[in-house]
Amino acid sequence: MAISLTKGAAMMAARVVDLERPSTWEFSGFSQNGEDGILDVLSKQLKQRNRYFIEIGASDGMQNNSSWLVVAEQYDGLMIEGDPRLAARGDRLITPYSIGVNYLNMFVDSENITALKELSRYAEPDIFSLDIDGVDYYIAKQLMSVGFRPKIFVVEYNSVYGANKSLTVPYRKNFSFTDAHPSRLYYGVSIAAWKKFFHALGYKFVTVDTKGVNAFFVDPSSFSAEFIDRIDGMDYAENQFQYRKFKTPSDQQFRLIQDQQFVEI
């Protein structure tokens, strides 16, 4: 905890933020990469804030996209984790920092989204983060269909599909990427599919993080046009962990799973 806070504060202070270039926004306290910094800038540019978030895939609280919001910014929200052991540890470590945080052990699927909406204080939270390494597309689709409309939406994308393929995996309840394919590359959603999905809902693409893990979309009505229209974000980045692991770019990684079943978006 102390290391995460100290690291985040130091990186935050060292930034030279250019509001047109999201790569300059990044810092990491609890986030895997620079997501804490991107959310810091975006949230502070909102016209109105309710200071509420929802994260699906919060892990144990020590590496996610919402713990910085709780510990450093005193946000309220829902932190949801499907693994009971990780959820229990996260509840013990993170919830004492904000009386308005609920850390829930819940495996989210398309059948219990309505229950999730009933648990949330807002249908339009400032921030929604979705990272479950699997059927994320179908969960996001159901979230929006039941009336959620986050101002900022963070989603994990899988760079194995490259910048242009508009693909995801078929829906399977209890999907586990560790069991789906030996390579552990068969999961999630391409960046092109996410762009198509959110564009149809009136959202604007902002950027991906420089390590190639998460993509950021915003409801433009929640921001000034002067800010949002001038952003020059990164359209796509290779997942650096996957690149180091396989020592090949995404097009060659994709060959390892090209015989699997996909759904075109």
XYZ file of all heavy atoms in Angstrom, residues 114-172:
477
model
N -28.649 -6.865 -14.206
C -29.716 -6.082 -13.578
C -29.498 -5.980 -12.075
O -29.707 -4.918 -11.471
C -31.092 -6.699 -13.873
O -31.292 -6.740 -15.296
C -32.204 -5.876 -13.242
N -29.044 -7.076 -11.467
C -28.751 -7.052 -10.030
C -27.618 -6.072 -9.732
O -27.643 -5.374 -8.710
C -28.385 -8.452 -9.555
N -26.643 -5.997 -10.620
C -25.545 -5.055 -10.452
C -26.059 -3.613 -10.510
O -25.641 -2.769 -9.710
C -24.490 -5.281 -11.535
C -23.332 -4.292 -11.601
C -22.530 -4.311 -10.305
C -22.415 -4.624 -12.780
N -26.964 -3.338 -11.421
C -27.512 -1.991 -11.532
C -28.244 -1.596 -10.245
O -28.183 -0.443 -9.805
C -28.446 -1.891 -12.728
C -28.891 -0.458 -13.039
C -29.568 -0.393 -14.394
C -29.884 1.056 -14.772
N -30.985 1.596 -13.996
N -28.916 -2.556 -9.634
C -29.626 -2.269 -8.388
C -28.671 -1.975 -7.242
O -29.011 -1.251 -6.299
C -30.535 -3.445 -8.038
C -31.694 -3.625 -9.026
C -32.469 -4.902 -8.795
O -32.027 -5.713 -7.924
O -33.493 -5.112 -9.472
N -27.463 -2.513 -7.323
C -26.466 -2.273 -6.287
C -25.787 -0.909 -6.428
O -25.261 -0.366 -5.462
C -25.393 -3.367 -6.333
C -25.817 -4.769 -5.901
C -24.729 -5.778 -6.281
C -26.095 -4.818 -4.414
N -25.801 -0.373 -7.653
C -25.089 0.869 -7.926
C -25.893 2.085 -7.491
O -27.109 2.151 -7.692
C -24.771 0.978 -9.421
O -24.163 2.212 -9.716
N -25.217 3.068 -6.955
C -25.858 4.312 -6.546
C -26.235 5.163 -7.750
O -27.167 5.963 -7.692
C -24.929 5.089 -5.616
C -25.607 6.254 -4.871
C -24.596 7.029 -4.042
N -23.842 6.176 -3.139
C -22.741 6.550 -2.488
N -22.276 7.792 -2.660
N -22.109 5.725 -1.681
N -25.473 5.035 -8.833
C -25.709 5.850 -10.019
C -25.718 4.975 -11.274
O -24.933 4.025 -11.390
C -24.606 6.901 -10.189
C -24.529 7.918 -9.084
C -23.616 7.761 -8.044
C -25.351 9.044 -9.091
C -23.534 8.697 -7.025
C -25.270 9.989 -8.075
C -24.354 9.812 -7.045
O -24.277 10.743 -6.043
N -26.583 5.329 -12.212
C -26.549 4.705 -13.538
C -25.517 5.383 -14.423
O -25.121 4.837 -15.449
C -27.927 4.773 -14.193
N -25.092 6.600 -14.015
C -24.107 7.363 -14.778
C -22.894 7.660 -13.898
O -22.605 8.824 -13.576
C -24.727 8.656 -15.295
C -25.915 8.430 -16.226
C -26.544 9.720 -16.701
O -26.186 10.787 -16.170
O -27.389 9.660 -17.606
N -22.169 6.641 -13.488
C -20.978 6.899 -12.664
C -19.951 7.690 -13.454
O -19.934 7.661 -14.684
C -20.456 5.496 -12.347
C -20.946 4.648 -13.484
C -22.291 5.219 -13.851
N -19.107 8.396 -12.727
C -18.022 9.110 -13.408
C -17.172 8.146 -14.215
O -16.773 8.454 -15.342
C -17.127 9.818 -12.382
C -17.765 11.054 -11.781
O -18.860 11.454 -12.238
O -17.169 11.618 -10.854
N -16.885 6.991 -13.622
C -15.932 6.047 -14.219
C -16.464 4.629 -14.112
O -16.944 4.211 -13.055
C -14.564 6.133 -13.516
C -13.955 7.528 -13.704
C -13.602 5.057 -14.021
C -12.805 7.829 -12.758
N -16.357 3.894 -15.198
C -16.655 2.460 -15.198
C -15.461 1.752 -15.822
O -15.046 2.083 -16.927
C -17.919 2.167 -16.007
C -18.588 0.860 -15.643
C -19.900 0.853 -15.211
C -17.930 -0.352 -15.739
C -20.537 -0.322 -14.846
C -18.555 -1.535 -15.394
C -19.863 -1.524 -14.949
N -14.907 0.781 -15.114
C -13.769 0.008 -15.621
C -14.162 -1.455 -15.736
O -14.706 -2.037 -14.789
C -12.567 0.152 -14.685
O -11.475 -0.629 -15.137
N -13.906 -2.042 -16.898
C -14.266 -3.433 -17.169
C -13.035 -4.185 -17.663
O -12.490 -3.864 -18.712
C -15.383 -3.488 -18.212
C -15.809 -4.866 -18.715
C -16.371 -5.717 -17.573
C -16.856 -4.723 -19.828
N -12.624 -5.175 -16.902
C -11.426 -5.954 -17.244
C -11.582 -7.348 -16.654
O -11.222 -7.607 -15.510
C -10.174 -5.276 -16.694
C -8.900 -6.054 -16.997
O -8.988 -7.160 -17.565
O -7.808 -5.574 -16.655
N -12.153 -8.265 -17.460
C -12.374 -9.633 -16.956
C -11.697 -10.682 -17.838
O -11.942 -11.885 -17.677
C -13.871 -9.940 -16.799
C -14.640 -9.698 -18.105
C -14.469 -9.090 -15.675
C -16.095 -10.129 -18.031
N -10.883 -10.242 -18.796
C -10.091 -11.179 -19.606
C -10.945 -12.257 -20.257
O -10.577 -13.434 -20.241
C -9.007 -11.858 -18.750
C -8.003 -10.886 -18.190
O -7.533 -10.030 -18.943
O -7.699 -10.975 -16.976
N -12.067 -11.854 -20.817
C -12.921 -12.891 -21.392
C -14.020 -12.350 -22.272
O -13.774 -11.845 -23.367
N -15.256 -12.437 -21.766
C -16.425 -12.066 -22.562
C -16.827 -10.617 -22.268
O -18.009 -10.283 -22.152
C -17.592 -13.044 -22.314
C -17.249 -14.420 -22.864
C -17.925 -13.138 -20.822
N -15.852 -9.752 -22.202
C -16.058 -8.347 -21.848
C -17.075 -7.658 -22.766
O -17.878 -6.838 -22.302
C -14.728 -7.584 -21.919
C -13.640 -8.193 -21.051
O -13.408 -9.410 -21.171
O -13.004 -7.453 -20.270
N -17.042 -7.984 -24.051
C -17.948 -7.335 -25.002
C -19.402 -7.546 -24.620
O -20.208 -6.594 -24.620
C -17.703 -7.871 -26.417
C -18.678 -7.350 -27.442
C -18.509 -6.097 -28.025
C -19.788 -8.104 -27.815
C -19.411 -5.608 -28.951
C -20.699 -7.623 -28.750
C -20.512 -6.371 -29.314
O -21.412 -5.897 -30.221
N -19.753 -8.764 -24.282
C -21.144 -9.098 -23.976
C -21.587 -8.465 -22.653
O -22.744 -8.071 -22.509
C -21.314 -10.613 -23.942
C -20.832 -11.263 -25.209
C -19.542 -11.795 -25.284
C -21.625 -11.310 -26.343
C -19.077 -12.373 -26.456
C -21.171 -11.880 -27.524
C -19.891 -12.409 -27.571
O -19.427 -12.964 -28.737
N -20.664 -8.361 -21.716
C -20.977 -7.703 -20.444
C -21.210 -6.211 -20.681
O -22.172 -5.627 -20.173
C -19.845 -7.922 -19.427
C -19.625 -9.426 -19.181
C -20.151 -7.192 -18.124
C -20.855 -10.172 -18.695
N -20.349 -5.582 -21.466
C -20.520 -4.156 -21.767
C -21.832 -3.907 -22.498
O -22.556 -2.937 -22.199
C -19.345 -3.652 -22.605
N -22.161 -4.761 -23.435
C -23.413 -4.620 -24.195
C -24.622 -4.705 -23.277
O -25.562 -3.902 -23.379
C -23.473 -5.697 -25.271
C -24.639 -5.568 -26.222
C -24.565 -6.627 -27.314
C -25.729 -6.490 -28.292
N -25.667 -7.534 -29.367
N -24.591 -5.640 -22.346
C -25.704 -5.794 -21.416
C -25.766 -4.641 -20.426
O -26.843 -4.176 -20.063
C -25.580 -7.129 -20.677
C -26.794 -7.526 -19.865
C -28.009 -7.849 -20.719
O -27.904 -7.978 -21.941
N -29.164 -7.960 -20.096
N -24.608 -4.168 -19.990
C -24.568 -3.010 -19.084
C -25.279 -1.808 -19.698
O -26.086 -1.134 -19.042
C -23.118 -2.633 -18.773
C -22.349 -3.535 -17.817
C -20.855 -3.225 -17.887
C -22.852 -3.381 -16.387
N -24.982 -1.544 -20.941
C -25.590 -0.394 -21.596
C -27.073 -0.623 -21.868
O -27.871 0.314 -21.799
C -24.844 -0.082 -22.894
C -23.339 0.165 -22.711
S -22.939 1.445 -21.510
C -23.118 2.904 -22.531
N -27.448 -1.859 -22.126
C -28.851 -2.145 -22.441
C -29.756 -2.005 -21.228
O -30.954 -1.747 -21.371
C -28.988 -3.549 -23.043
O -28.813 -4.550 -22.051
N -29.209 -2.169 -20.011
C -30.042 -2.019 -18.808
C -30.039 -0.587 -18.285
O -30.659 -0.297 -17.269
C -29.621 -2.995 -17.686
C -29.704 -4.431 -18.154
C -28.232 -2.655 -17.143
N -29.337 0.306 -18.967
C -29.435 1.718 -18.620
C -28.209 2.375 -18.038
O -28.249 3.563 -17.672
N -27.093 1.658 -17.942
C -25.858 2.318 -17.515
C -25.385 3.274 -18.602
O -25.486 2.987 -19.796
C -24.758 1.291 -17.231
C -24.810 0.685 -15.854
C -25.170 -0.645 -15.681
C -24.491 1.445 -14.736
C -25.213 -1.206 -14.413
C -24.535 0.895 -13.471
C -24.898 -0.439 -13.298
N -24.840 4.411 -18.185
C -24.274 5.380 -19.123
C -23.102 6.082 -18.442
O -23.178 7.257 -18.054
C -25.336 6.408 -19.535
C -24.871 7.442 -20.571
C -24.800 6.883 -21.948
N -24.317 7.868 -22.928
C -24.209 7.640 -24.227
N -24.577 6.461 -24.713
N -23.753 8.560 -25.045
N -21.987 5.383 -18.253
C -20.825 6.003 -17.599
C -20.314 7.195 -18.390
O -20.389 7.235 -19.616
C -19.790 4.873 -17.573
C -20.577 3.617 -17.776
C -21.731 3.993 -18.633
N -19.759 8.164 -17.665
C -19.167 9.321 -18.326
C -17.815 8.956 -18.936
O -17.446 9.447 -20.007
C -19.014 10.464 -17.323
C -20.333 10.919 -16.722
C -20.113 11.803 -15.505
C -21.422 12.059 -14.782
N -21.239 12.744 -13.491
N -17.075 8.104 -18.231
C -15.787 7.591 -18.705
C -15.848 6.079 -18.631
O -16.201 5.517 -17.585
C -14.621 8.097 -17.827
C -14.589 9.627 -17.779
C -13.280 7.541 -18.318
C -13.722 10.182 -16.652
N -15.527 5.405 -19.708
C -15.584 3.939 -19.734
C -14.201 3.415 -20.122
O -13.689 3.736 -21.189
C -16.627 3.453 -20.740
C -17.291 2.155 -20.363
C -18.664 2.005 -20.500
C -16.566 1.075 -19.888
C -19.301 0.826 -20.163
C -17.174 -0.111 -19.546
C -18.557 -0.240 -19.684
N -13.621 2.623 -19.247
C -12.314 2.002 -19.488
C -12.536 0.520 -19.759
O -13.176 -0.171 -18.957
C -11.379 2.132 -18.271
C -9.961 1.729 -18.653
C -11.432 3.507 -17.682
N -12.013 0.023 -20.865
C -12.162 -1.390 -21.206
C -10.813 -1.981 -21.604
O -9.999 -1.322 -22.246
C -13.174 -1.599 -22.359
C -14.601 -1.358 -21.889
C -12.843 -0.722 -23.558
N -10.614 -3.216 -21.229
C -9.423 -3.927 -21.692
C -9.640 -4.367 -23.137
O -10.734 -4.788 -23.505
C -9.176 -5.157 -20.817
C -7.934 -5.947 -21.232
C -7.789 -7.247 -20.465
O -8.795 -7.973 -20.358
O -6.683 -7.531 -19.985
N -8.607 -4.243 -23.955
C -8.660 -4.803 -25.306
C -7.524 -5.810 -25.453
O -6.549 -5.786 -24.692
C -8.583 -3.713 -26.369
C -7.233 -3.034 -26.525
C -6.338 -3.418 -27.523
C -6.850 -1.994 -25.679
C -5.109 -2.792 -27.664
C -5.630 -1.354 -25.824
C -4.763 -1.770 -26.812
O -3.537 -1.157 -26.952
N -7.665 -6.684 -26.422
C -6.644 -7.707 -26.668
C -5.911 -7.357 -27.956
O -6.472 -7.459 -29.044
C -7.287 -9.090 -26.768
C -6.256 -10.210 -26.850
O -5.062 -9.954 -26.966
N -6.710 -11.446 -26.786
N -4.655 -6.973 -27.834
C -3.901 -6.512 -29.000
C -3.554 -7.627 -29.970
O -3.093 -7.354 -31.074
C -2.613 -5.804 -28.548
O -1.649 -6.720 -28.067
N -3.787 -8.878 -29.587
C -3.483 -10.000 -30.482
C -4.271 -9.892 -31.785
O -3.846 -10.407 -32.824
C -3.767 -11.356 -29.787
C -5.256 -11.641 -29.707
C -3.052 -12.503 -30.501
N -5.417 -9.218 -31.749
C -6.239 -9.073 -32.946
C -5.725 -7.980 -33.884
O -6.274 -7.797 -34.976
C -7.683 -8.750 -32.561
C -8.333 -9.766 -31.651
C -8.770 -9.404 -30.377
C -8.521 -11.084 -32.050
C -9.377 -10.319 -29.531
C -9.119 -12.011 -31.217
C -9.541 -11.626 -29.960
O -10.138 -12.536 -29.126
N -4.732 -7.233 -33.444
C -4.213 -6.146 -34.250
C -5.104 -4.916 -34.183
O -6.062 -4.857 -33.409
N -4.787 -3.940 -35.025
C -5.493 -2.663 -34.979
C -6.797 -2.664 -35.759
O -7.660 -1.821 -35.505
C -4.578 -1.559 -35.524
N -6.970 -3.598 -36.693
C -8.088 -3.481 -37.637
C -9.124 -4.591 -37.573
O -10.263 -4.385 -37.995
C -7.538 -3.387 -39.065
C -6.636 -2.183 -39.250
O -6.971 -1.073 -38.843
N -5.462 -2.395 -39.839
N -8.781 -5.760 -37.060
C -9.776 -6.836 -36.962
C -10.831 -6.461 -35.930
O -10.513 -6.067 -34.818
C -9.122 -8.157 -36.552
C -8.127 -8.738 -37.536
C -7.644 -10.106 -37.041
C -6.548 -10.684 -37.915
N -5.256 -9.946 -37.745
N -12.111 -6.614 -36.285
C -13.209 -6.291 -35.375
C -13.798 -7.591 -34.837
O -14.819 -8.088 -35.311
C -14.274 -5.464 -36.111
O -15.267 -5.040 -35.214
N -13.124 -8.143 -33.822
C -13.442 -9.485 -33.352
C -13.567 -9.572 -31.838
O -12.996 -8.771 -31.102
C -12.338 -10.469 -33.780
C -12.059 -10.654 -35.264
C -10.851 -11.572 -35.449
C -13.285 -11.215 -35.982
N -14.296 -10.577 -31.394
C -14.297 -10.998 -30.002
C -14.509 -12.501 -29.958
O -14.727 -13.134 -30.999
C -15.386 -10.263 -29.190
O -15.225 -10.586 -27.801
C -16.792 -10.668 -29.632
N -14.436 -13.073 -28.774
C -14.692 -14.499 -28.594
C -16.193 -14.719 -28.447
O -16.924 -13.797 -28.068
C -13.950 -15.049 -27.364
C -12.440 -14.952 -27.553
C -14.382 -14.325 -26.089
N -16.697 -15.920 -28.722
C -18.123 -16.195 -28.487
C -18.444 -16.137 -26.996
O -17.573 -16.383 -26.155
C -18.308 -17.620 -29.022
C -17.110 -17.896 -29.866
C -15.995 -17.081 -29.300
N -19.703 -15.817 -26.693
C -20.100 -15.763 -25.283
C -20.129 -17.168 -24.688
O -20.652 -18.112 -25.280
C -21.486 -15.136 -25.119
C -21.884 -15.061 -23.651
C -21.339 -14.084 -22.827
C -22.764 -15.998 -23.095
C -21.672 -14.022 -21.480
C -23.096 -15.941 -21.748
C -22.545 -14.950 -20.952
O -22.850 -14.900 -19.615
N -19.531 -17.269 -23.525
C -19.561 -18.513 -22.771
C -19.599 -18.162 -21.293
O -18.714 -17.460 -20.789
C -18.327 -19.368 -23.067
C -18.375 -20.780 -22.480
C -17.034 -21.471 -22.612
N -16.448 -21.311 -23.935
C -15.148 -21.467 -24.187
N -14.300 -21.740 -23.196
N -14.689 -21.317 -25.404
